[in-house]
Amino acid sequence: MSPTFDALLECPSGLLDMTFDQLRTLLVVHEKGNALRAARVLGREQSSVQKQLDTLNRNSQAICGEVLTVRQGRGKDFLFTPTGETVVELARTTFDKWLESIHWSRRRLGRMLTVGTTEFTLPIVSRAWKRVSEEFEQREVEFKVAHVRTKDLWSRLETRQVDLICGSIVSTPEGDRRFKEYEVVEYARGKALLLTNLPESELPDTPVETSRLAGIPLVVPPAGLVADLLATWYGPGFRERLTVVADIDDVHYGLSLLRSGFVRGCMIVTGSIGRGMAAQDDPDAVPLRAIPLHDDLEPKAELMTGAFVRRADLERYDAGHPLNRLWAAVKEDVRTYKPVA
């Protein structure tokens, strides 16, 4: 027998009595600061949470010679000892690994499926879901939909946080090489538009060359589809080369800024958003115009909306696995749905 196995047989009784529930309580207390706030989050009485902490402290004192937490006084956050901080990290790692393993097993067995979608591509998932919802419900497949920001699209796929994702990306001849490991269903492809509240005397309706954007006041997000587009044309340091009049966190705030007239300038948007906003007739809002962009820079870039899935995952499972069934529904949907680019 190896020393590791011998040590396993000789585990202290206090360690063997430690439960996942106790460790979860410890993590919540560490996050929230004290037993009262942790109890509210856990939906328990404060005395129940304190009892678990007392048990953990007693066992830790017996095993290591130091408690995990120390009360600082009424209303103050607990102090975590060095041993306590170490146990917190061990507990966090343990939970992460267990949950990851459980999720992987459920996905492998077809018991769970997680789909990521941006706000604007939610209809793709919704239509595909309708094609398989009855089957999934009969098979008791746990189907989850996760909101994904465009800037996180690839990272969520690569880290396997989602099984399938729908969103929009900047597509270039060079960039499309990353599709090598993925299956892609393309829904729409088109050029971006320039949405502006500037009068025609300042910015005519004629197409604006992308090389002219440096001299135009722009409303720009820090990351996401538009930032990727600007980085394609102007490089990673595009902000230093552009005239940025406002920073925004999402497209809705940018649209509100332009329609309020508080900021005068332009915002790069998808074709559907640009046409939709320019067509709105609100007497209380500043009118907006959608102006075409003419891409005269290299590399040429387009906006592509689609669904993405890891090819290895499709090949790993049989045709009846929920992921393959949903992917088939997505492909069927694109054959019958005709989007506007």
Side-chain angles (χ1 to χ4, degrees):
M1 294 184 183
S2 66
T4 301
F5 189 77
D6 290 339
L8 186 65
L9 296 178
E10 297 172 0
C11 278
S13 59
L15 180 61
L16 296 177
D17 291 338
M18 191 178 296
T19 68
F20 273 98
D21 189 32
Q22 290 172 342
L23 291 178
R24 186 182 70 150
T25 296
L26 185 70
L27 289 174
V28 175
V29 170
H30 188 269
E31 178 69 25
K32 296 301 178 181
N34 61 39
L36 178 59
R37 290 195 290 269
R40 290 170 178 168
V41 172
L42 292 168
R44 294 178 174 177
E45 295 294 331
Q46 181 181 356
S47 58
S48 173
V49 171
Q50 188 60 56
K51 184 178 179 180
Q52 287 188 316
L53 290 178
D54 291 342
T55 300
L56 287 171
N57 278 333
R58 220 170 23 249
N59 288 336
S60 178
Q61 181 71 56
I63 298 171
C64 304
E66 184 177 47
V67 297
L68 305 181
T69 63
V70 178
R71 292 189 188 187
Q72 298 262 64
R74 187 177 181 84
K76 295 184 178 180
D77 289 352
F78 287 177
L79 171 68
F80 276 72
T81 66
T83 299
E85 293 288 354
T86 299
V87 172
V88 164
E89 287 306 310
L90 285 172
R92 186 175 287 118
T93 301
T94 298
F95 270 100
D96 286 344
K97 289 185 176 180
W98 267 89
L99 290 174
E100 182 181 353
S101 179
I102 289 170
H103 290 162
W104 170 250
S105 295
R106 287 173 60 79
R107 285 170 173 164
R108 178 177 57 82
L109 296 171
R111 303 294 295 175
M112 185 180 78
L113 199 63
T114 302
V115 176
T117 174
T118 63
E119 177 183 352
F120 300 105
T121 56
L122 184 58
I124 296 176
V125 174
S126 178
R127 291 191 302 268
W129 164 249
K130 289 178 182 178
R131 296 175 183 272
V132 296
S133 59
E134 185 175 350
E135 175 190 341
F136 280 17
E137 288 169 1
Q138 290 176 349
R139 296 172 59 179
E140 298 183 345
V141 177
E142 182 182 355
F143 184 77
K144 294 183 177 182
V145 178
H147 178 211
V148 177
R149 303 291 291 270
T150 301
K151 65 183 178 65
D152 300 322
L153 189 148
W154 287 111
S155 64
R156 295 290 286 273
L157 259 180
E158 291 167 354
T159 56
R160 298 183 178 273
Q161 296 179 51
V162 296
D163 300 292
L164 181 153
I165 205 163
C166 294
S168 299
I169 64 168
V170 174
S171 176
T172 65
E174 181 72 20
D176 286 355
R177 292 180 181 177
R178 61 186 165 186
F179 295 161
K180 181 176 61 175
E181 298 178 2
Y182 296 89
E183 289 291 332
V184 181
V185 169
E186 184 175 315
Y187 270 76
R189 183 181 289 265
K191 303 288 187 180
L193 293 178
L194 202 61
L195 194 65
T196 184
N197 59 7
L198 297 175
E200 191 172 354
S201 58
E202 291 186 38
L203 189 64
D205 280 330
T206 54
V208 175
E209 291 83 3
T210 51
S211 59
R212 286 181 51 208
L213 290 175
I216 295 175
L218 293 175
V219 175
V220 177
L225 194 64
V226 171
D228 288 347
L229 199 58
L230 290 171
T232 300
W233 290 327
Y234 286 88
F238 63 86
R239 285 178 169 277
E240 300 174 1
R241 303 177 60 186
L242 300 175
T243 305
V244 179
V245 294
D247 292 296
I248 57 173
D249 286 333
D250 60 55
V251 65
H252 297 294
Y253 184 65
L255 295 174
S256 296
L257 274 179
L258 292 180
R259 291 185 72 82
S260 71
F262 184 68
V263 169
R264 297 177 73 257
C266 307
M267 185 169 69
I268 298 173
V269 294
T270 63
S272 57
I273 292 177
R275 288 186 292 268
M277 292 302 298
Q280 289 188 11
D281 185 16
D282 184 350
D284 297 325
V286 176
L288 301 179
R289 292 181 298 123
I291 303 174
L293 278 172
H294 172 63
D295 192 352
D296 63 339
L297 295 173
E298 294 293 341
K300 304 299 181 185
E302 291 183 308
L303 302 182
M304 193 270 273
T305 298
F308 310 86
V309 67
R310 291 177 292 272
R311 183 176 293 113
D313 287 350
L314 295 179
E315 295 172 349
R316 181 180 295 113
Y317 307 129
D318 60 46
H321 188 278
L323 180 58
N324 279 302
R325 295 288 297 119
L326 182 63
W327 188 246
V330 169
K331 291 195 292 185
E332 179 63 26
D333 178 65
V334 77
R335 286 194 287 266
T336 58
Y337 178 70
K338 303 298 181 183
V340 178

